[in-house]
Each structure stands twice: as structure tokens, then as C-alpha cells.
Amino acid sequence: MKYQDLNLRKIREDNGLDFAHFTYLRGMCSCCFSPLELPARYWHKGIKPASMDNVQYLLFKNADNGSGWVKKTDELKDYQCVSWEFPETKLVQICKDLQEQLGDEYVVLVPESKDFCIVIIKASESDLLATELKRGHHHILEE
């Protein structure tokens, strides 16, 4: 599956998020940049807020300080972390929405708390999956 096959706009709109995207831009790191530095087209109604106060977002951690930024034509990685900021009451539904779009080829894991990322793992990577389950993530089917 390619990143362009994800419909993050639908997840954003269906769940009342302000922002959703699958990568940072070239040269950006996840520790120094936020969704505010990304184009308006990834924001609800194309409008960026003045600050990140109360912003609800979903952003794949493809950044230069991690595994590198990606293009929409790139294949989804075997192991993918997704940062998020929204009420935990939305977490399971958003993970279910991601799982529905990704299909059986990937497994979406719900983090144990706000301190951890959502994790997406290629289903064939059973060792990675087992490791994340031991760390406290859980599969949405367990909800």
C-alpha cells in the first residue's frame, strides 16, 4: 500500500480532527516542527490556526530525525509510528478507521496512553508485532 492510498482527509473529517497527514517535509524533524509548519491543505477547511492550542491532529512520524520523510508514492513502511493529539475517547475509533483503510496487510495498535504513538505494523512482521504487544500496545479488535 502506498501513502497516497490512505484517505487521511476522511479520517480527519469523520473524527473532527483539525489536521492529518502522513509525513513531515524534507529537513523537518518531529522534535522541532509541528503541524503548523505543514501546508494548509492538510488542515480542516484549509485553515491553519494561529497556535497549536487545542489542536487535534494525527501525523505520521516520517521526519528527518527518524526514518526520513516520505512521498505519497512510497510504500507504507513495515513499522510506522503515528503521533496524535486528541481526546482519548476518539482513539479507538481513529485506530479502527486506520485499520479499515489499511486492510489485513497491516495491524494498527492502540497505545496504552497519550505518552505513546499509535503503531502500524505490517501483519507479516510477527516479531515486531509481538514486541509492541509486550510493550503495552493492544490491537483494536481487543476493544
Side-chain angles (χ1 to χ4, degrees):
M1 169 175 258
K2 296 181 187 301
Y3 288 98
Q4 68 189 5
D5 298 329
L6 290 171
N7 187 347
L8 295 177
R9 174 181 286 167
K10 179 172 178 22
I11 291 173
R12 181 187 75 205
E13 298 304 320
D14 287 354
N15 294 284
L17 301 180
D18 301 301
F19 176 90
H21 193 46
F22 60 84
T23 190
Y24 288 81
L25 300 177
R26 183 189 299 261
M28 289 183 171
C29 61
S30 60
C31 57
C32 300
F33 294 89
S34 75
L36 279 180
E37 285 83 28
L38 294 167
R41 69 179 170 265
Y42 307 121
W43 289 86
H44 177 67
K45 295 185 179 179
I47 302 168
K48 286 197 226 182
S51 75
M52 287 297 290
D53 293 343
N54 301 315
V55 168
Q56 296 184 32
Y57 70 88
L58 186 71
L59 179 56
F60 285 54
K61 292 193 65 102
N62 295 317
D64 278 347
N65 65 323
S67 50
W69 61 278
V70 297
K71 299 178 298 229
K72 65 182 180 179
T73 56
D74 290 341
E75 289 287 327
L76 215 71
K77 297 177 181 181
D78 291 351
Y79 180 90
Q80 181 75 66
C81 294
V82 183
S83 59
W84 58 283
E85 181 62 46
F86 46 78
E88 287 188 58
T89 55
K90 295 182 179 185
L91 182 59
V92 170
Q93 184 58 53
I94 289 171
C95 288
K96 284 180 180 180
D97 291 349
L98 282 167
Q99 184 68 68
E100 183 178 322
Q101 288 191 22
L102 292 164
D104 294 338
E105 190 178 349
Y106 294 89
V107 177
V108 177
L109 298 176
V110 179
E112 62 180 289
S113 73
K114 287 187 88 61
D115 297 327
F116 297 92
C117 290
I118 295 167
V119 173
I120 299 170
I121 298 175
K122 196 163 194 173
S124 61
E125 297 292 333
S126 57
D127 290 344
L128 284 173
L129 182 57
T131 299
E132 288 302 326
L133 291 171
K134 285 180 187 172
R135 287 184 179 161
H137 283 80
H138 54 278
H139 193 278
I140 57 172
L141 297 179
E142 297 170 354
E143 292 297 317

